[in-house]
Amino acid sequence: MYKCNQIRLQQTLEQFSQFGATENGGVTRLSLSKEDVLARDYFKKCCEELGMEVKVDDMANMYATLPGKKDLPPIVMGSHLDSVIKGGRFDGVLGVLTALEAIRTILDNDIELDTPLTIVNFTNEEGARFDPAMMSSGVLTGKFARDVMLQSTDKEGTTFAQALAQSGYEGSKENRLQDALAYIELHIEQGPVLEAEHIEIGVVEGVKGMVCYEIRINGESNHAGSTPMRMRKDPMMLASKIMNELDQKLGQLDEELVYTFGRMNVAPNIHTVIPSEVVFTIDSRHKDPTVMKQVESVLVSLSSEENGCTVQAVKLWGRDTVHFNPIICDEIAAACKNFGYSSLRMYSGPGHDAQFIASIVPSAMIFVPSVNGKSHCEEELTSYEDCAKGADILLETVLMLQAKQSLNQTAISK
């Protein structure tokens, strides 16, 4: 077994945290922004210094490849370098830099590889500048149409196509990820489970299915001071009642089900006026499709009229549960056992590029703990010791997979 260099990994993470650094220790590194381009330039430099060949595809996805002795499909590692506004220093970038550290450790120890290794940096995973999230991995896997994505526009009116051209990272379609032995994405958990249960590594078996509904309630505006309570058609009061009822019903379905009332819009939103309309969203996630069907049944069964108001439940979007490759998950678990690191098999609630890539390449993910479960904020933190443990497991898994490739090229894809 080979251990990665924790100090070197820490130094690399600290260097990348300067690209878009915020006042409170976070980063704002929106996709294809000048900060993102600086991070890309430095990543490219780091890879080329190791003798890796760096290619870029037509969605600005970057691929840095260390050749193997045989002409075989590569094992791919990576994640993304972009962040949300005032995000953390680990989300996304840790997956790219632990992969870089794994390559450095391989070269330090003169480890011979039959299988090429590729590090990928996916473009616009966060969707914080251009909708939707996971844009470029979605284009690669046919989830999104490239022509439509090129027209996605940020708040300043810049299209993705314009940002792509300005970045200098618009490459060739022929460089897209296609044939690969496996894809492994290391990521911070973005939740509290691993830390709370004192677990060092999460073996991620898939990404939970989810639905997002919008509940639209229309009533009647009137003066807040002169309209008796019994004569009101108040959508805000009804919204409160409906949310409480949904909490009661959904909370009884399954203890692993999560649901969030995340957005609310009130019109006219004046403190002296009874609202005429209230719209709120509910986001719900679970790995079992049967449970998700029960959630949708509850939502669509809402009364269409109550207390003088009309109620409409509209499905905004949803996704099915994605199950990762069981052989790769077993290899990750075996790597944890080899190192004596505790592990937990789990599903991810947040979405990741791996959930799309899994449709074309056998895939899995590795989680490392998030302090206090925080992510997408400046307080996001994972200890450098835990980062290095994740890098150890990533490297060990890759080495075991490339040995399996040498023995049986079809073993993983079965």
Side-chain angles (χ1 to χ4, degrees):
M1 294 185 299
Y2 300 89
K3 282 187 67 66
C4 292
N5 187 322
Q6 179 180 325
I7 294 175
R8 180 170 59 193
L9 177 59
Q10 176 177 342
Q11 291 171 342
T12 306
L13 283 163
E14 290 174 347
Q15 176 62 51
F16 273 82
S17 71
Q18 298 307 304
F19 303 124
T22 60
E23 292 182 1
N24 297 312
V27 295
T28 296
R29 193 163 54 233
L30 301 180
S31 184
L32 301 182
S33 65
K34 62 180 181 181
E35 294 83 7
D36 185 38
V37 170
L38 287 172
R40 286 167 170 267
D41 290 345
Y42 189 65
F43 171 63
K44 181 180 179 183
K45 177 176 179 291
C46 290
C47 293
E48 289 178 339
E49 287 176 349
L50 298 175
M52 303 179 77
E53 181 183 16
V54 180
K55 293 183 178 181
V56 184
D57 70 18
D58 57 328
M59 290 297 291
N61 298 313
M62 300 176 68
Y63 309 93
T65 300
L66 182 71
K69 293 187 298 181
K70 297 182 179 179
D71 184 19
L72 296 169
I75 296 172
V76 182
M77 308 170 281
S79 191
H80 60 96
L81 294 177
D82 66 312
S83 80
V84 298
I85 296 173
K86 292 189 176 180
R89 295 176 290 129
F90 300 88
D91 180 2
V93 66
L94 183 62
V96 177
L97 299 188
T98 50
L100 181 64
E101 176 56 33
I103 296 294
R104 286 170 167 169
T105 303
I106 286 169
L107 295 174
D108 287 347
N109 292 278
D110 297 320
I111 301 172
E112 291 190 348
L113 300 171
D114 286 338
T115 308
L117 300 182
T118 296
I119 307 174
V120 61
N121 165 37
F122 287 112
T123 303
N124 195 44
E125 191 273 352
E126 294 291 2
R129 183 180 181 190
F130 301 103
D131 285 332
M134 301 174 292
M135 176 190 283
S136 294
S137 60
V139 169
L140 294 187
T141 55
K143 313 298 183 184
F144 307 132
R146 182 177 187 271
D147 290 346
V148 176
M149 296 300 101
L150 291 177
Q151 300 309 311
S152 181
T153 305
D154 68 12
K155 294 179 181 178
E156 280 68 47
T158 302
T159 65
F160 182 81
Q162 292 170 330
L164 188 62
Q166 294 166 5
S167 72
Y169 277 93
E170 183 174 12
S172 171
K173 183 177 180 180
E174 67 184 19
N175 291 333
R176 288 186 182 184
L177 175 65
Q178 295 177 9
D179 188 21
L181 172 68
Y183 172 64
I184 308 173
E185 181 173 345
L186 184 147
H187 207 279
I188 58 172
E189 181 194 353
Q190 299 181 282
V193 175
L194 293 177
E195 183 186 46
E197 299 191 13
H198 306 290
I199 301 293
E200 293 162 298
I201 300 293
V203 181
V204 187
E205 297 185 303
V207 177
K208 295 178 182 178
M210 68 168 291
V211 291
C212 184
Y213 271 72
E214 184 177 79
I215 312 301
R216 184 176 296 271
I217 308 172
N218 290 97
E220 185 176 284
S221 279
N222 215 328
H223 198 287
S226 59
T227 309
M229 298 301 292
R230 68 181 184 279
M231 300 176 67
R232 297 185 180 203
K233 299 177 181 179
D234 188 341
M236 178 63 84
M237 297 294 284
L238 182 55
S240 176
K241 177 176 180 288
I242 289 174
M243 284 191 281
N244 183 63
E245 290 177 351
L246 289 175
D247 180 35
Q248 295 295 318
K249 291 179 179 179
L250 298 181
Q252 296 174 2
L253 293 180
D254 190 281
E255 64 178 9
E256 293 188 5
L257 177 69
V258 295
Y259 48 92
T260 304
F261 302 104
R263 183 179 71 213
M264 175 175 280
N265 296 314
V266 181
N269 202 26
I270 300 171
H271 77 280
T272 59
V273 178
I274 300 167
S276 61
E277 181 180 68
V278 175
V279 181
F280 67 87
T281 59
I282 177 166
D283 172 310
S284 185
R285 309 184 189 211
H286 197 279
K287 65 183 180 183
D288 188 340
T290 301
V291 175
M292 294 310 300
K293 287 180 180 179
Q294 292 174 325
V295 170
E296 294 202 69
S297 179
V298 170
L299 294 174
V300 299
S301 67
L302 289 173
S303 175
S304 61
E305 187 172 351
E306 189 173 346
N307 296 348
C309 300
T310 60
V311 181
Q312 186 180 19
V314 179
K315 185 174 182 178
L316 298 183
W317 67 289
R319 71 175 183 226
D320 294 331
T321 295
V322 174
H323 301 284
F324 290 146
N325 185 274
I327 293 178
I328 302 177
C329 290
D330 287 345
E331 296 291 348
I332 294 170
C336 292
K337 186 175 181 179
N338 291 347
F339 271 94
Y341 296 160
S342 56
S343 65
L344 175 70
R345 289 181 180 259
M346 60 196 304
Y347 276 70
S348 174
H352 300 281
D353 288 311
Q355 76 189 59
F356 285 162
I357 299 302
S359 66
I360 61 170
V361 174
S363 301
M365 293 186 69
I366 299 167
F367 275 174
V368 291
S370 296
V371 175
N372 295 322
K374 287 184 173 290
S375 182
H376 279 193
C377 61
E378 294 172 305
E379 295 79 19
E380 176 185 279
L381 181 64
T382 294
S383 73
Y384 291 117
E385 181 181 3
D386 284 339
C387 291
K389 289 178 180 178
D392 292 340
I393 298 306
L394 178 64
L395 173 58
E396 180 74 357
T397 303
V398 165
L399 293 178
M400 290 192 297
L401 287 177
Q402 78 97 27
K404 186 181 292 289
Q405 170 81 330
S406 300
L407 295 171
N408 183 355
Q409 295 186 28
T410 62
I412 296 172
S413 60
K414 282 185 177 178

